[in-house]
């Protein structure tokens, strides 16, 4: 469905020197610098895939989505979406994709959302019965029927984003580009949007490319991720392989009982010094937080041995073993490319 080959985009910006004379000099001799927002990117996405597109701010994610949408032209390389060349901006192509930018609106601010939907119906030339059927389905899935006649500017951020998704899907696109669709939303709204996208993808097999800084979005929606850094692709594959590729490490968190076995606690015998403040495991670096919890990062094959070491050292109120957060895995990947 999506084929990207050696796609690059270079932005050339003017460097103005400070002060009045710097501006005067710029009239006669200008200095420019080039920024490679996308640098020789290659990937393919099959029909119906839900792919996460990750990278730090300025990595080139939005630039890539805009090139795939035909909003900006690539400096070099090619892209094809459903067999179309986005740079040609054909009407037939614009009818089969949609782009949702989390920080930009496509709805009229001072009109109810239903008015913008009617306008989009006429722009896309949608038959009345198809429009009504699609609108009813989307409105019920997102639970915003009672908000259709409310001015967009009076809607909450979460409600506005739901309306933006409806506007993007009214013409039943085959490809959906999502750029930070849950940015700024509260936890409840994020969950509702994620549930809707998951159900819609499974129901209609829409190909979706999603950028997000919320790792919960990626973990719940995407089995595959593409990671770019400084314009270059540095990973393309299964999300679970990316997580396990972090050295297959786990995090162990322990804390002591209320009476405590931390150094200085009011206990007698061997328990009093079981867990001094500077206690270290034999299997990895150990840190202790202000809340009294000790934290270790150790290879997963040592989990059993470390757990036994902790329990033999002294009594604990609880012990938690969890995967390294995906945010940390991604950060380590970026740092390795710095």
């Amino acid at each position: 469905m999506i084929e990207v080959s050696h796609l690059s985009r270079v932005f050339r910006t003017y460097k103005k020197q400070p002060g009045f004379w710097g501006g005067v000099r710029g009239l006669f001799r200008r200095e420019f610098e080039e920024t490679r927002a996308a640098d020789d990117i290659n990937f393919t996405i099959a029909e119906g895939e839900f792919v996460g597109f990750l990278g730090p701010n300025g990595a080139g994610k939005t630039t890539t989505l805009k090139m795939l949408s035909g909003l900006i032209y690539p400096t070099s390389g090619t892209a094809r979406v459903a067999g179309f060349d986005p740079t040609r901006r054909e009407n037939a192509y614009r009818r089969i994709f949609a782009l949702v930018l989390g920080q930009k609106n496509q709805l009229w601010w001072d009109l109810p959302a239903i008015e913008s939907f009617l306008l989009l119906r006429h722009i896309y030339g949608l038959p009345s019965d198809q429009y009504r059927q699609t609108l009813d389905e989307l409105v019920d899935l997102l639970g915003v029927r009672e908000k259709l006649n409310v001015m967009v500017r009076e809607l909450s951020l979460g409600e506005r984003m739901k309306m933006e998704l409806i506007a993007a899907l009214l013409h039943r696109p085959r490809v959906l580009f999502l750029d930070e669709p849950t940015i700024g939303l509260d936890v409840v709204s994020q969950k509702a949007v994620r549930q809707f996208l998951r159900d819609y993808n499974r129901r209609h097999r829409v190909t979706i490319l999603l950028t997000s800084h919320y790792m919960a979005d990626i973990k719940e929606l995407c089995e595959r991720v593409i990671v770019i850094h400084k314009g270059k692709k540095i990973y393309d594959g299964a999300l679970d392989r990316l997580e396990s590729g972090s050295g297959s490490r786990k995090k162990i968190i322990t804390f002591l009982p209320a009476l405590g076995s931390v150094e200085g606690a009011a206990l007698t015998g061997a328990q009093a010094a079981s867990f001094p403040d500077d206690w270290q495991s034999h299997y990895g670096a150990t840190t202790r937080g202000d809340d009294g919890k000790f934290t270790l990062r150790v290879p997963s094959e040592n989990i059993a041995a470390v757990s036994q070491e902790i329990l033999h050292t002294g009594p604990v109120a609880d012990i938690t073993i969890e995967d390294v957060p995906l945010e940390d895995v991604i950060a380590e990947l970026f740092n390795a490319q710095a």
Side-chain angles (χ1 to χ4, degrees):
M1 181 61 72
I2 301 175
E3 298 175 278
V4 172
S5 178
H6 303 289
L7 198 65
S8 298
R9 172 66 190 195
V10 179
F11 290 100
R12 190 166 179 254
T13 55
Y14 165 54
K15 290 179 60 178
K16 180 186 179 301
Q17 298 300 317
F20 172 77
W21 291 111
V24 173
R25 283 193 295 270
L27 294 174
F28 302 97
R29 183 178 180 180
R30 294 201 162 196
E31 295 182 10
F32 295 89
E33 65 178 2
E34 292 186 346
T35 302
R36 302 190 72 84
D39 190 0
D40 198 37
I41 296 176
N42 299 273
F43 62 80
T44 60
I45 298 177
E47 183 177 5
E49 272 197 282
F50 203 136
V51 179
F53 198 34
L54 306 180
N57 290 330
K61 305 184 299 298
T62 303
T63 298
T64 302
L65 292 188
K66 287 182 176 180
M67 286 191 287
L68 293 176
S69 305
L71 293 179
I72 60 176
Y73 291 98
T75 303
S76 61
T78 60
R80 300 196 72 81
V81 181
F84 291 94
D85 179 357
T87 62
R88 299 183 64 180
R89 301 181 179 178
E90 300 170 82
N91 284 336
Y93 173 56
R94 288 187 280 188
R95 291 179 182 277
I96 60 97
F97 86 91
L99 170 65
V100 178
L101 300 173
Q103 301 186 65
K104 294 185 182 297
N105 299 320
Q106 63 176 318
L107 302 176
W108 287 93
W109 190 251
D110 292 315
L111 292 176
I114 189 65
E115 300 290 343
S116 293
F117 298 158
L118 287 169
L119 175 62
L120 289 170
R121 174 203 160 187
H122 290 288
I123 289 175
Y124 285 103
L126 304 177
S128 178
D129 55 344
Q130 177 187 325
Y131 165 75
R132 177 53 56 184
Q133 179 184 358
T134 305
L135 181 62
D136 287 342
E137 177 190 7
L138 296 174
V139 165
D140 290 338
L141 280 173
L142 287 167
V144 291
R145 184 173 294 276
E146 70 282 2
K147 299 293 183 179
L148 287 176
N149 292 302
V150 178
M151 299 290 186
V152 171
R153 56 183 166 80
E154 295 177 0
L155 297 174
S156 69
L157 183 58
E159 292 166 345
R160 288 204 303 274
M161 180 48 63
K162 292 177 182 178
M163 296 300 184
E164 292 285 347
L165 287 171
I166 292 174
L169 297 172
L170 273 176
H171 62 290
R172 299 180 181 176
R174 298 168 58 195
V175 180
L176 181 59
F177 301 120
L178 298 173
D179 187 28
E180 302 283 353
T182 59
I183 188 169
L185 302 187
D186 59 62
V187 175
V188 175
S189 296
Q190 288 180 21
K191 184 176 180 180
V193 169
R194 285 196 294 263
Q195 183 64 47
F196 166 76
L197 292 174
R198 183 189 303 111
D199 293 343
Y200 194 85
N201 171 252
R202 291 173 179 172
R203 184 177 302 188
H204 298 282
R205 286 191 54 78
V206 177
T207 305
I208 302 178
L209 187 58
L210 165 71
T211 78
S212 179
H213 288 296
Y214 296 113
M215 291 301 104
D217 293 349
I218 303 300
K219 293 193 72 170
E220 291 190 26
L221 296 173
C222 308
E223 294 183 356
R224 173 189 170 194
V225 294
I226 298 171
V227 185
I228 64 174
H229 184 53
K230 296 181 179 179
K232 290 183 175 292
K233 186 182 74 174
I234 59 175
Y235 179 82
D236 182 356
L239 178 61
D240 55 2
R241 184 159 58 89
L242 175 62
E243 293 181 285
S244 63
S246 63
S248 66
R249 303 180 74 84
K250 297 282 185 177
K251 179 184 291 184
I252 298 181
I253 303 176
T254 68
F255 68 89
L256 303 177
L259 290 178
S261 57
V262 178
E263 184 177 21
L267 291 179
T268 59
Q271 288 184 340
S274 295
F275 284 93
D277 291 346
D278 58 352
W279 179 80
Q280 291 290 318
S281 168
H282 294 97
Y283 294 92
T286 308
T287 58
R288 178 172 180 253
D290 296 336
D291 56 0
K293 294 181 181 180
F294 290 91
T295 303
L296 303 85
R297 285 198 178 195
V298 295
S300 57
E301 60 268 20
N302 293 337
I303 292 297
V306 174
S307 300
Q308 292 176 3
E309 178 189 23
I310 292 170
L311 296 175
H312 288 159
T313 303
V316 297
D318 187 28
I319 181 170
T320 303
I321 303 174
E322 60 184 4
D323 292 329
V324 175
L326 182 57
E327 292 89 341
D328 292 353
V329 175
I330 300 295
E332 290 176 5
L333 189 60
F334 293 156
N335 292 333
Q337 299 293 322

